[in-house]
Amino acid sequence: MADTTLMSIPGQVDPVPVARDITPREDGRVDLIGLPKKDIAALFEAAGLDQRQAKLRAKQVFHWLYHRGVTDFEAMTDIAKTMRPWLAERFVIGRPEVVEAQHSTDGTRKWLLRTADGHDFEMVFIPDADRGTLCVSSQVGCTLNCRFCHTGTMRLVRNLTPGEIVGQVMLARDALGEWPKGRMDMPDEETAAEYTADGRLLTNIVMMGMGEPLYNFDNVKGALQLVMDGDGLALSKRRITLSTSGVVPAMARCGEEIGVNLAVSLHAVTKDVRDEIVPINKKYGLEELLQACADYPGASNARRITFEYVMLKDKNDSDEDARELVRLIKKYKLPAKVNLIPFNPWPGAAYECSTPERIKAFSNIVFEGGISAPVRTPRGRDIDAACGQLKTAAEKKSRAQLDREAAEAAAAQA
Ligand code: SAH
Ligand code: SF4
């Protein structure tokens, strides 16, 4: 039996989490979602097909999974009727379980999802006039404890598998009704048109949900490769952004091996403040981080690095901070843009959001320094879907807190 116990948070700094095995399915079947095509072929071969057949079937199945979004082998019409039950006996096409789906008044949607072994995590879809962005989680919880982030207060953490990560994109496409409907084996004019239809709602992906993606590098890479694969979900790497709190040693690899846009949760420009609010700074300091940004493969004026900067009242929001931000970006010659994020509050948070006037003044200074610094409009606040608010309901009250509440209620009654 695989070890499915969750990791407890090992400390504030350098808590590289170890991926836990996921619980094997009780029926012994293997979930194909999250596997590269060559692994699917290897499984088919191990199950008894000859090499040529295995490769051919893997190609067909892969296309059905990622291009057409089917979840049933019976729907794979170019695979022989007798072959389909053979597949269904041995394999499944999984999706994370949807526990709850919420809709914000501003159109933002949030899903509470559950892994096969019972861990909850969240994903968020943010529709805009010209794009639709899916905010994807990389871990259940997060081992880092950024002081202003609700996810960082979750006590339990598990890395999500490639299937659970790409599964979020699959689920979003299911929910948005975005799989082509034509029949691949009958390419007459009408179905061919449907098959290639691409008026998509989901156009962009940001790895900005729960977790630190660069602490789950291999699984995030595996999932994003399926998202970018021309035979897979076929989304351009230019439409994918990975956000990191600053795991410096993994940043170059991210650029080289994944090649997506980079966002960095900077949030402060002095050692003292960044040490306090983004504790990974004690391990990888500002200079190291900015140098890694300067060296980020693929960054250019056409593909800028985004610096995220959460606006915390009287903490990091002075004119001096804004000027220092400009100075640092210029010093390291960074092709950068700055995203100012009004702090999204959560119960018990130690900070307040800066005033709108302060945010405006900060933004103006950065703009005057020649760097774009828009203020991000908070989305989905009413359903706790905004940046840093993701924390699953099951986790919102700790066991200890529930026990305390029960004890208090009992004492009040006595
Ligand atoms: N772990 C990664 C990605 C997820 S967080 C990272 O830290 O970069 C996505 C963004 O939301 C990060 O910039 C994060 O710092 C920010 N954020 C976290 N809590 C927030 C809050 N309460 N209000 C506003 N932004 C927050
Ligand atoms: Fe983790 Fe990012 Fe939240 Fe920091 S801001 S605790 S790295 S999810």
PDB file of all heavy atoms in Angstrom, residues 142 144-146 148-149 151-152 209-212 245 265, ligand 2:
ATOM      1  N   CYS A 142       0.747  24.565   0.768  1.00  0.00           N
ATOM      2  CA  CYS A 142       2.062  25.057   0.354  1.00  0.00           C
ATOM      3  C   CYS A 142       2.986  24.984   1.554  1.00  0.00           C
ATOM      4  O   CYS A 142       2.579  25.320   2.666  1.00  0.00           O
ATOM      5  CB  CYS A 142       1.957  26.504  -0.137  1.00  0.00           C
ATOM      6  SG  CYS A 142       3.516  27.169  -0.767  1.00  0.00           S
ATOM      7  N   LEU A 144       5.659  26.732   1.953  1.00  0.00           N
ATOM      8  CA  LEU A 144       6.204  28.048   2.289  1.00  0.00           C
ATOM      9  C   LEU A 144       5.150  28.805   3.084  1.00  0.00           C
ATOM     10  O   LEU A 144       3.963  28.531   2.967  1.00  0.00           O
ATOM     11  CB  LEU A 144       6.586  28.774   1.006  1.00  0.00           C
ATOM     12  CG  LEU A 144       7.705  28.047   0.260  1.00  0.00           C
ATOM     13  CD1 LEU A 144       7.888  28.604  -1.127  1.00  0.00           C
ATOM     14  CD2 LEU A 144       8.997  28.125   1.042  1.00  0.00           C
ATOM     15  N   ASN A 145       5.599  29.739   3.886  1.00  0.00           N
ATOM     16  CA  ASN A 145       4.637  30.424   4.762  1.00  0.00           C
ATOM     17  C   ASN A 145       4.679  31.921   4.535  1.00  0.00           C
ATOM     18  O   ASN A 145       4.954  32.680   5.446  1.00  0.00           O
ATOM     19  CB  ASN A 145       4.954  30.163   6.248  1.00  0.00           C
ATOM     20  CG  ASN A 145       5.175  28.699   6.547  1.00  0.00           C
ATOM     21  OD1 ASN A 145       6.265  28.294   6.942  1.00  0.00           O
ATOM     22  ND2 ASN A 145       4.155  27.896   6.343  1.00  0.00           N
ATOM     23  N   CYS A 146       4.403  32.354   3.320  1.00  0.00           N
ATOM     24  CA  CYS A 146       4.366  33.797   3.098  1.00  0.00           C
ATOM     25  C   CYS A 146       3.303  34.364   4.029  1.00  0.00           C
ATOM     26  O   CYS A 146       2.186  33.834   4.104  1.00  0.00           O
ATOM     27  CB  CYS A 146       4.086  34.104   1.639  1.00  0.00           C
ATOM     28  SG  CYS A 146       5.336  33.373   0.559  1.00  0.00           S
ATOM     29  N   PHE A 148       1.323  36.801   4.186  1.00  0.00           N
ATOM     30  CA  PHE A 148       0.062  37.422   3.739  1.00  0.00           C
ATOM     31  C   PHE A 148      -0.811  36.440   2.968  1.00  0.00           C
ATOM     32  O   PHE A 148      -1.848  36.811   2.436  1.00  0.00           O
ATOM     33  CB  PHE A 148       0.398  38.617   2.829  1.00  0.00           C
ATOM     34  CG  PHE A 148       1.380  38.227   1.764  1.00  0.00           C
ATOM     35  CD1 PHE A 148       0.943  37.654   0.586  1.00  0.00           C
ATOM     36  CD2 PHE A 148       2.747  38.377   1.967  1.00  0.00           C
ATOM     37  CE1 PHE A 148       1.843  37.227  -0.369  1.00  0.00           C
ATOM     38  CE2 PHE A 148       3.657  37.953   1.007  1.00  0.00           C
ATOM     39  CZ  PHE A 148       3.196  37.381  -0.164  1.00  0.00           C
ATOM     40  N   CYS A 149      -0.370  35.162   2.883  1.00  0.00           N
ATOM     41  CA  CYS A 149      -1.053  34.208   1.998  1.00  0.00           C
ATOM     42  C   CYS A 149      -1.796  33.144   2.802  1.00  0.00           C
ATOM     43  O   CYS A 149      -1.208  32.470   3.647  1.00  0.00           O
ATOM     44  CB  CYS A 149      -0.024  33.543   1.079  1.00  0.00           C
ATOM     45  SG  CYS A 149      -0.728  32.239   0.058  1.00  0.00           S
ATOM     46  N   THR A 151      -3.089  30.325   1.711  1.00  0.00           N
ATOM     47  CA  THR A 151      -2.656  28.958   1.370  1.00  0.00           C
ATOM     48  C   THR A 151      -1.471  28.539   2.243  1.00  0.00           C
ATOM     49  O   THR A 151      -1.363  27.380   2.653  1.00  0.00           O
ATOM     50  CB  THR A 151      -2.254  28.866  -0.116  1.00  0.00           C
ATOM     51  OG1 THR A 151      -3.306  29.395  -0.918  1.00  0.00           O
ATOM     52  CG2 THR A 151      -1.991  27.436  -0.522  1.00  0.00           C
ATOM     53  N   GLY A 152      -0.597  29.523   2.517  1.00  0.00           N
ATOM     54  CA  GLY A 152       0.608  29.230   3.305  1.00  0.00           C
ATOM     55  C   GLY A 152       0.316  28.825   4.735  1.00  0.00           C
ATOM     56  O   GLY A 152       1.200  28.346   5.444  1.00  0.00           O
ATOM     57  N   GLY A 209      -2.237  28.934  -8.537  1.00  0.00           N
ATOM     58  CA  GLY A 209      -3.194  28.456  -7.545  1.00  0.00           C
ATOM     59  C   GLY A 209      -2.463  28.094  -6.266  1.00  0.00           C
ATOM     60  O   GLY A 209      -1.531  28.784  -5.853  1.00  0.00           O
ATOM     61  N   MET A 210      -2.887  27.010  -5.648  1.00  0.00           N
ATOM     62  CA  MET A 210      -2.232  26.609  -4.406  1.00  0.00           C
ATOM     63  C   MET A 210      -0.878  25.993  -4.717  1.00  0.00           C
ATOM     64  O   MET A 210      -0.727  25.222  -5.663  1.00  0.00           O
ATOM     65  CB  MET A 210      -3.089  25.555  -3.693  1.00  0.00           C
ATOM     66  CG  MET A 210      -4.457  26.055  -3.325  1.00  0.00           C
ATOM     67  SD  MET A 210      -5.500  24.697  -2.803  1.00  0.00           S
ATOM     68  CE  MET A 210      -5.530  24.967  -1.080  1.00  0.00           C
ATOM     69  N   GLY A 211       0.098  26.327  -3.874  1.00  0.00           N
ATOM     70  CA  GLY A 211       1.379  25.642  -3.953  1.00  0.00           C
ATOM     71  C   GLY A 211       2.476  26.419  -4.644  1.00  0.00           C
ATOM     72  O   GLY A 211       2.229  27.403  -5.329  1.00  0.00           O
ATOM     73  N   GLU A 212       3.700  25.955  -4.436  1.00  0.00           N
ATOM     74  CA  GLU A 212       4.867  26.543  -5.089  1.00  0.00           C
ATOM     75  C   GLU A 212       5.259  25.598  -6.234  1.00  0.00           C
ATOM     76  O   GLU A 212       5.807  24.524  -5.991  1.00  0.00           O
ATOM     77  CB  GLU A 212       6.002  26.692  -4.058  1.00  0.00           C
ATOM     78  CG  GLU A 212       7.365  27.014  -4.645  1.00  0.00           C
ATOM     79  CD  GLU A 212       7.377  28.161  -5.650  1.00  0.00           C
ATOM     80  OE1 GLU A 212       6.991  29.287  -5.313  1.00  0.00           O
ATOM     81  OE2 GLU A 212       7.778  27.916  -6.820  1.00  0.00           O
ATOM     82  N   SER A 245       7.709  31.955  -5.875  1.00  0.00           N
ATOM     83  CA  SER A 245       8.054  32.856  -4.782  1.00  0.00           C
ATOM     84  C   SER A 245       9.561  33.120  -4.770  1.00  0.00           C
ATOM     85  O   SER A 245      10.035  33.916  -3.978  1.00  0.00           O
ATOM     86  CB  SER A 245       7.617  32.232  -3.469  1.00  0.00           C
ATOM     87  OG  SER A 245       8.230  30.959  -3.339  1.00  0.00           O
ATOM     88  N   SER A 265       7.092  36.382  -7.417  1.00  0.00           N
ATOM     89  CA  SER A 265       6.431  37.046  -6.292  1.00  0.00           C
ATOM     90  C   SER A 265       7.475  37.831  -5.514  1.00  0.00           C
ATOM     91  O   SER A 265       8.045  37.331  -4.552  1.00  0.00           O
ATOM     92  CB  SER A 265       5.765  36.005  -5.391  1.00  0.00           C
ATOM     93  OG  SER A 265       4.710  35.387  -6.096  1.00  0.00           O
TER      94      SER A 265
HETATM   95 FE1  SF4 B   2       3.044  29.384  -1.036  1.00  0.00          FE
HETATM   96 FE2  SF4 B   2       2.892  31.242  -2.985  1.00  0.00          FE
HETATM   97 FE3  SF4 B   2       1.303  31.378  -0.792  1.00  0.00          FE
HETATM   98 FE4  SF4 B   2       3.922  31.873  -0.578  1.00  0.00          FE
HETATM   99  S1  SF4 B   2       2.421  33.073  -1.767  1.00  0.00           S
HETATM  100  S2  SF4 B   2       2.689  30.597   0.823  1.00  0.00           S
HETATM  101  S3  SF4 B   2       4.773  30.408  -2.035  1.00  0.00           S
HETATM  102  S4  SF4 B   2       1.270  29.772  -2.354  1.00  0.00           S
END
